[in-house]
Every structure is written in structure tokens, then in C-alpha cells.
Amino acid sequence: MTEAAQNAGHKAEMEKLQAAQREKRRTLTDPERGLVLVHTGDGKGKSTSAFGVIARALGWGQRVAVVQFIKGKWKTGEKQFFTRFPDLLEWHVMGDGFTWDTQDRDRDIAAARAALAKARTLIESGDFALIVLDEINIALRYDYLSVTDVLAALEARADTAVILTGRDAKPELMDAADGVTEMREVKHPFHAGIRAQQGIDF
Amino acid sequence: MTEAAQNAGHKAEMEKLQAAQREKRRTLTDPERGLVLVHTGDGKGKSTSAFGVIARALGWGQRVAVVQFIKGKWKTGEKQFFTRFPDLLEWHVMGDGFTWDTQDRDRDIAAARAALAKARTLIESGDFALIVLDEINIALRYDYLSVTDVLAALEARADTAVILTGRDAKPELMDAADGVTEMREVKHPFHAGIRAQQGIDF
């Protein structure tokens, strides 16, 4: 095939793609309420992409809240960074650290329930364009929270988008969500014996 | 099972997990060079989690560069947000928009090659803790770039971590990477007829 023919073929293919996109876009609507998005799976990027969405929302001047259900103790880059914007963002650390560090089920349950109560208050307030419930799926997985209570908190939203992160998302939660992404681990530096890196992993 | 027995069982399980984690951590080392991470797959969160890593890096005062290979024209929340930190971050828009909007293969190829040349210069400079090559996998997929040239640019790194995003990552790139995450679409608002949302999708 000549280069001219290749270019013409490319142009035709792109025009077709563009037309299909346009037709699809023509029929799209805005959601009736804020989107509910779930980030789950065993790979990297569940919380991290929620933090990326936060950057996006802040870029448009939107108000954001974060409720951390599990990772409480670590000093992280994301927390240091986003807490510099107190006019737009609230960051609530409710968890007591990784569950295997606490080994106290009652305390974990109490922390998770306090976190959900906080989340519900924030959702009901209507004050936020975006609320991130970070690692809430872990609290659900260990039955620190009931999925019924979490769904009830989500039902209380109006225009607020909510992102729920953590592996092993409950099927009922994925059913109720508008979007679900599974971050699948293909290759992880940890399994090659590399420790978590400041600025990359925390 | 009584609640006390359940709590004791939980404590034992968590202690076992904690011990396994500690043993694993004891043998971990830092990487010899900056990590190369690939975000691919058909789901949401490939670029977005790279933006989350940027927030993390900025939180630690690290220097960051972004080279956008494809998404050139859109006004996005992430660009509006991160370009507020010019002391730490450089944001290079090299692409001319989505490929199906340009329909000019020669121009797309020229833009992709200019983007890679810029990326290589930034990588070689050693000035950055993190460089994001956003949507470079799309440029590779359309053969606007050769994977050999991209791998050569990555080989030029010292301590700089590099994140490469975009669906359909080349196998040679995934082989060379330290970490690969596939963002798998389980459910997407777009397929329910919902248009892209400001603050969530851009």
C-alpha cells in the first residue's frame, strides 16, 4: 500500500469513528443525580484515580470531601497535598490504620461506623460536588459495615458524585453504581521485591 | 460462635497477616532506577490515577512533568489545577486532540514524534522525580511511534519514575515495565447513556 493510500484509509477510518462518536454523543444525557463510581480489584490505582478525580474537580472550583475508612496513620503525599486547599476540600481520617495493625475488631467496627456516619452527613449536606469514600470496600469486606447502610447513605445524595474505593467491592454496591472499574494487577513492583515508593505509592 | 471467640479469631487472623507482611517487607529493596509503570485497559482511571500519583509526588515536594500525547484540545480540570504549580510541575500538551478529530495521519505522526522527543529530553535531564506520558499507548497503537524508540527513551532514565497511560499497551512495553495495571471496565456510565461529567471525566 502506498503512503497516500494508507493515509486515505486512515482518514476514512477516523471519519467513521468520529461519526459513530458524534451519533452516540447526540443521545447522551446528564445523570439525574450525582454519579456513584466504584474502584475495585487487586491492582494499583483504586484510591489513586479517586485522587486524580479530586484534582480534576478542584480544577473546576468544585467542593470535595474525602473520608478515609482504613488508612489512618500514614503520612501520605496526597493528604499533605490536598489539605493545602481547605477552602474547597475537607479530609477526614476516620480509620485507625490497616486492620492487621489494629487487631481489635470492636475498635475497627466503631471506627468504620463513625466514618460512615460522617460520610452520610457530608452526602446529605449537598455541599460537595464529589465525596470520596476511600477504602470503604475493605470495611464492607470485613463486615464492619452493612452494605444496606452504605446503600442508604448513597441514596441520600442529590447532585453529589460519590467514589467508593477498595478491593472486593460487594456485588450489591456494584449493582447500585453507575460505573465500576476493576483495577487488575498484571505486574506489581512489590512482587519483584521492590518496596513502596514515596511519591508513587503513598 | 460467641462474639469473644469471633474477636479472638479475628485477632489471630490479623496477627498472621501482619507477620506475613512484616516478613515480606524485611526483604524489600528500593529499585535501581525510577519505576516504569503502565496503566492500560478499556476502563476509566488510566490517566486519572497518573494524576493521583502527581498529587502524591507534589505533596512530597517532588518535581513532575506531564507530556500529553493525544488529548490536546480539551480544557480539563486536571490541567487547570496542576498548572497552578509551575515551580514543581511542567505540563506539555503535544497532541492535537483525539485522533479521530484530526484525520491527518502525517500531522498525528509529527505531533507524536515531537512529544516523544520532548519526553526523552525531560527523562534525560534527571530533573524530575516523575514524568507522565499521557496516552502514549494510543500513539503506539496507531504506529505513530515505534516501541523501540519509546523503550530507548525509558532506558535514558536514572531516578525518574515514568508512568505511561492508554489502552492497548504494547507487550514489549509491559515486559519492560516494573508495574502494569489493567483498568478493566465492569460498568461505564457512558454505556448507560450518560455524558462525560465536568469534574469527574475531564
Side-chain angles (χ1 to χ4, degrees):
Chain A
M1 194 159 58
T2 65
E3 197 173 318
Q6 197 180 11
N7 284 351
H10 175 81
K11 190 164 187 296
E13 191 192 334
M14 291 299 115
E15 278 173 353
K16 210 169 133 190
L17 264 173
Q18 188 182 44
Q21 285 288 324
R22 280 208 183 121
E23 177 52 27
K24 174 83 192 175
R25 287 220 176 97
R26 210 178 49 77
T27 61
L28 296 174
T29 56
D30 285 316
E32 285 175 29
R33 298 193 293 166
L35 293 175
V36 171
L37 303 172
V38 173
H39 300 172
T40 193
D42 62 356
K44 290 164 75 68
K46 297 180 289 294
S47 297
T48 317
S49 60
F51 300 141
V53 178
I54 292 174
R56 215 162 246 168
L58 294 177
W60 292 108
Q62 296 175 356
R63 295 198 65 208
V64 178
V66 178
V67 180
Q68 291 199 293
F69 279 72
I70 300 289
K71 287 177 185 168
K73 285 179 179 166
W74 290 9
K75 186 176 175 183
T76 62
E78 58 269 27
K79 188 177 156 204
Q80 294 181 80
F81 184 66
F82 285 124
T83 52
R84 289 184 209 162
F85 310 96
D87 291 350
L88 287 176
L89 184 137
E90 289 186 15
W91 190 287
H92 300 278
V93 177
M94 308 294 288
D96 258 341
F98 273 110
T99 51
W100 55 71
D101 286 334
T102 65
Q103 300 169 12
D104 181 336
R105 195 162 187 274
D106 289 339
R107 203 173 70 180
D108 284 347
I109 289 172
R113 292 192 179 160
L116 182 59
K118 169 59 77 178
R120 183 164 182 148
T121 303
L122 296 168
I123 289 169
E124 285 175 342
S125 74
D127 290 341
F128 301 90
L130 171 69
I131 296 180
V132 174
L133 307 184
D134 190 40
E135 302 288 6
I136 190 172
N137 291 337
I138 306 295
L140 282 161
R141 169 198 188 190
Y142 283 111
D143 293 323
Y144 296 166
L145 300 176
S146 81
V147 72
T148 312
D149 289 346
V150 172
L151 293 177
L154 294 176
E155 274 307 305
R157 79 193 186 280
D159 295 335
T160 304
V162 184
I163 301 178
L164 304 97
T165 80
R167 61 175 66 199
D168 298 321
K170 295 277 180 189
E172 300 93 322
L173 181 60
M174 295 198 279
D175 285 346
D178 298 290
V180 178
T181 305
E182 178 199 350
M183 278 67 179
R184 197 174 71 81
E185 178 183 310
V186 179
K187 191 195 271 190
H188 199 301
F190 185 73
H191 294 138
I194 295 171
R195 71 164 59 95
Q197 298 293 298
Q198 186 182 79
I200 296 282
D201 298 296
F202 60 91
Chain B
M1 194 160 55
T2 65
E3 197 175 317
Q6 198 181 8
N7 284 350
H10 174 81
K11 189 164 189 291
E13 191 192 333
M14 292 298 115
E15 279 173 352
K16 212 168 133 188
L17 264 173
Q18 187 182 45
Q21 285 287 325
R22 280 208 184 123
E23 177 52 28
K24 175 81 192 179
R25 287 217 177 100
R26 211 179 48 79
T27 61
L28 295 175
T29 56
D30 285 316
E32 286 175 27
R33 299 193 292 167
L35 292 175
V36 171
L37 303 173
V38 173
H39 299 173
T40 193
D42 61 357
K44 291 165 74 68
K46 298 181 289 293
S47 296
T48 319
S49 62
F51 301 142
V53 179
I54 291 174
R56 213 162 249 167
L58 293 177
W60 293 109
Q62 297 175 356
R63 295 199 66 208
V64 178
V66 178
V67 181
Q68 290 199 292
F69 279 73
I70 302 288
K71 286 178 184 165
K73 283 179 180 166
W74 289 9
K75 185 175 175 184
T76 63
E78 58 267 27
K79 187 177 157 204
Q80 294 181 81
F81 183 66
F82 285 124
T83 51
R84 289 185 210 161
F85 310 95
D87 291 350
L88 287 176
L89 183 137
E90 289 186 15
W91 190 287
H92 300 278
V93 177
M94 309 294 287
D96 258 340
F98 273 110
T99 50
W100 55 71
D101 286 333
T102 65
Q103 299 169 15
D104 181 337
R105 196 163 188 273
D106 288 339
R107 204 175 71 180
D108 284 345
I109 289 174
R113 293 193 178 158
L116 183 60
K118 168 59 76 177
R120 182 163 182 148
T121 303
L122 296 168
I123 289 169
E124 284 176 342
S125 75
D127 289 341
F128 300 91
L130 171 68
I131 296 179
V132 175
L133 307 183
D134 190 40
E135 302 287 6
I136 189 171
N137 291 336
I138 306 295
L140 282 161
R141 169 198 189 191
Y142 283 111
D143 293 324
Y144 297 166
L145 300 175
S146 80
V147 71
T148 313
D149 288 346
V150 172
L151 292 177
L154 294 175
E155 274 307 306
R157 80 192 186 280
D159 295 335
T160 304
V162 184
I163 301 178
L164 304 98
T165 80
R167 62 175 65 198
D168 298 320
K170 295 276 180 190
E172 301 93 318
L173 181 60
M174 295 197 278
D175 285 347
D178 298 290
V180 178
T181 305
E182 178 198 351
M183 278 66 178
R184 195 173 73 80
E185 179 183 309
V186 178
K187 191 195 272 189
H188 199 301
F190 185 73
H191 295 139
I194 295 171
R195 71 164 60 95
Q197 297 295 299
Q198 183 179 322
I200 296 283
D201 297 296
F202 60 91

